[in-house]
C-alpha cells in the first residue's frame, strides 16, 4: 500500500511539473500540449476505437514475432553453447548484431517484404532473437560443473545430461532472456510500425505527427510506455521472480 501511494504521488508530481512547464511557455503550444489535452486525446482515441484498433494490431504483430524470436534465439544460443566451432565463428558476431538498433533493420525489412505486416513482424523477430541467443548461451555456460560431474558419476551423459541437468539448471537465466526478448521486441515493434503502412501504434504515431496532432502523439507515447511497463511488471517480472524463488536464488 505504501509503495502504491509513493507511485501515485510521484505520478502527480510528474503531471504537475508537466503542467508547470506548459504554463511557463518553455516550448510552443504546438510542440508541447498540456496534460488535459493529452487526456482528452486518449478519451477520443479509445472512444472512437482508433487507438483500440491500433493497440490490438500491435499486439497481433508481437504475438507473431515474439515466439519466433524466442524459439530461434534459444536454438542459436544452444548451438553456440554446445558447439565450440560455432561459438568461435558465428558467436563472435552475436554482440555486433545485438548492438544494431532495431530501426536500422526497417529499410531491409521493407525491401524484403514490402510495406506490409510481414515487414513489421520481421523487425520484431530481429529485435528479440539476439538477446535471447546471448542469454541462452550464458545460461548453459553457467551451469555449475559440479552438477555435471555429479550426474556423470551416476551414469548420466549425452542428451540425458542435457535435458535432465543442464536445461533445468539454466531455467533462471532463460527466463531473464525471455523478459529481455519481450522488452527488445516491443521496442523493435514500435520502430517497425513507424515506417509501415499500418495498422499499429507506431503507424498511428507517425500519422498523428503528419497532421500536427501533438496531443495524440503524446497520448500514444504514454500508451507505449504504460503497456511496456505493465506487461513486464504483471507477467514477465513475476514469472522471473517465481522461477528464481523456485530455484532458491531469491
Amino acid at each position: 500500500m505504501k509503495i502504491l501511494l509513493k507511485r501515485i504521488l510521484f505520478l502527480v508530481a510528474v503531471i504537475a511539473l508537466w503542467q508547470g512547464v506548459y504554463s511557463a511557455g518553455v516550448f510552443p503550444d504546438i510542440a508541447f500540449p498540456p496534460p488535459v489535452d493529452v487526456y482528452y486525446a486518449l478519451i477520443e482515441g479509445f472512444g472512437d476505437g482508433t487507438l483500440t484498433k491500433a493497440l490490438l494490431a500491435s499486439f497481433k504483430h508481437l504475438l507473431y514475432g515474439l515466439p519466433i524470436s524466442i524459439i530461434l534465439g534459444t536454438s542459436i544460443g544452444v548451438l553456440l553453447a554446445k558447439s565450440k566451432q560455432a561459438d568461435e565463428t558465428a558467436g563472435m558476431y552475436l554482440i555486433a548484431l545485438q548492438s544494431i538498433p532495431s530501426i536500422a533493420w526497417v529499410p531491409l525489412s521493407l525491401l524484403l517484404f514490402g510495406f506490409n505486416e510481414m515487414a513489421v513482424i520481421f523487425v520484431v523477430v530481429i529485435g528479440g532473437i539476439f538477446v535471447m541467443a546471448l542469454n541462452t548461451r550464458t545460461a548453459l555456460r553457467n551451469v555449475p560443473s559440479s552438477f555435471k560431474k555429479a550426474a556423470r558419476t551416476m551414469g548420466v551423459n549425452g542428451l540425458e545430461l542435457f535435458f535432465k541437468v543442464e536445461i533445468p539448471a539454466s531455467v533462471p537465466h532463460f527466463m531473464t532472456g525471455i523478459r529481455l526478448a519481450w522488452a527488445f521486441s516491443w521496442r523493435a515493434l514500435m520502430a517497425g510500425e513507424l515506417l509501415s503502412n499500418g495498422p499499429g501504434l507506431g503507424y498511428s504515431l507517425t500519422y498523428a505527427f503528419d497532421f500536427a496532432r501533438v496531443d495524440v502523439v503524446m497520448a500514444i507515447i504514454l500508451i507505449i510506455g504504460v503497456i511496456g511497463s505493465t506487461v513486464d511488471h504483471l507477467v514477465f517480472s513475476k514469472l522471473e521472480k517465481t522461477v528464481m524463488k523456485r530455484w532458491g536464488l531469491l
Side-chain angles (χ1 to χ4, degrees):
M1 189 66 181
K2 189 181 291 187
I3 295 176
L4 179 62
L5 181 62
K6 287 181 180 179
R7 289 174 177 173
I8 292 173
L9 290 175
F10 177 77
L11 182 60
V12 171
V14 170
I15 294 174
L17 178 61
W18 180 355
Q19 180 63 45
V21 172
Y22 171 78
S23 300
V26 178
F27 303 104
D29 291 354
I30 194 173
F32 194 80
V36 65
D37 285 3
V38 176
Y39 171 76
Y40 284 125
L42 286 169
I43 297 298
E44 178 189 347
F46 283 112
D48 62 20
T50 54
L51 289 179
T52 303
K53 290 176 182 177
L55 184 58
L56 291 175
S58 291
F59 270 116
K60 185 183 78 171
H61 298 152
L62 191 70
L63 289 175
Y64 282 136
L66 182 58
I68 296 173
S69 68
I70 291 173
I71 293 170
L72 292 179
T74 301
S75 301
I76 293 171
V78 170
L79 176 64
L80 296 178
K82 304 304 293 182
S83 171
K84 186 178 180 181
Q85 295 297 327
D87 191 46
E88 290 177 347
T89 52
M92 64 177 293
Y93 300 107
L94 206 57
I95 296 293
L97 291 169
Q98 174 57 39
S99 65
I100 299 174
S102 300
I103 199 165
W105 294 100
V106 176
L108 176 61
S109 68
L110 294 177
L111 289 172
L112 292 174
F113 301 103
F115 287 88
N116 55 50
E117 292 183 285
M118 279 301 302
V120 177
I121 294 171
F122 174 80
V123 176
V124 173
V125 172
I126 291 294
I129 189 172
F130 300 121
V131 69
M132 192 69 216
L134 284 168
N135 275 272
T136 301
R137 181 178 68 173
T138 302
L140 290 172
R141 282 182 171 180
N142 286 344
V143 175
S145 58
S146 58
F147 289 6
K148 299 177 186 178
K149 290 177 182 178
R152 290 192 179 102
T153 59
M154 292 183 284
V156 178
N157 289 289
L159 288 176
E160 189 179 10
L161 176 68
F162 178 71
F163 285 107
K164 290 187 176 181
V165 178
E166 292 183 83
I167 287 183
S170 62
V171 166
H173 278 92
F174 182 76
M175 292 308 306
T176 301
I178 292 179
R179 185 182 179 186
L180 290 173
W182 141 257
F184 278 77
S185 293
W186 180 246
R187 293 194 310 177
L189 171 63
M190 294 304 118
E193 288 182 344
L194 278 173
L195 300 179
S196 71
N197 281 341
L201 287 175
Y203 171 76
S204 298
L205 188 65
T206 304
Y207 187 83
F209 172 76
D210 289 340
F211 285 88
R213 289 292 308 273
V214 188
D215 53 341
V216 178
V217 169
M218 292 288 286
I220 293 173
I221 290 173
L222 287 176
I223 292 171
I224 293 170
V226 168
I227 292 296
S229 175
T230 302
V231 173
D232 179 76
H233 181 71
L234 295 181
V235 180
F236 295 101
S237 178
K238 289 185 179 296
L239 193 59
E240 184 183 30
K241 287 180 181 179
T242 300
V243 170
M244 291 290 187
K245 287 180 180 179
R246 183 78 179 271
W247 264 249
L249 298 176
L250 285 179

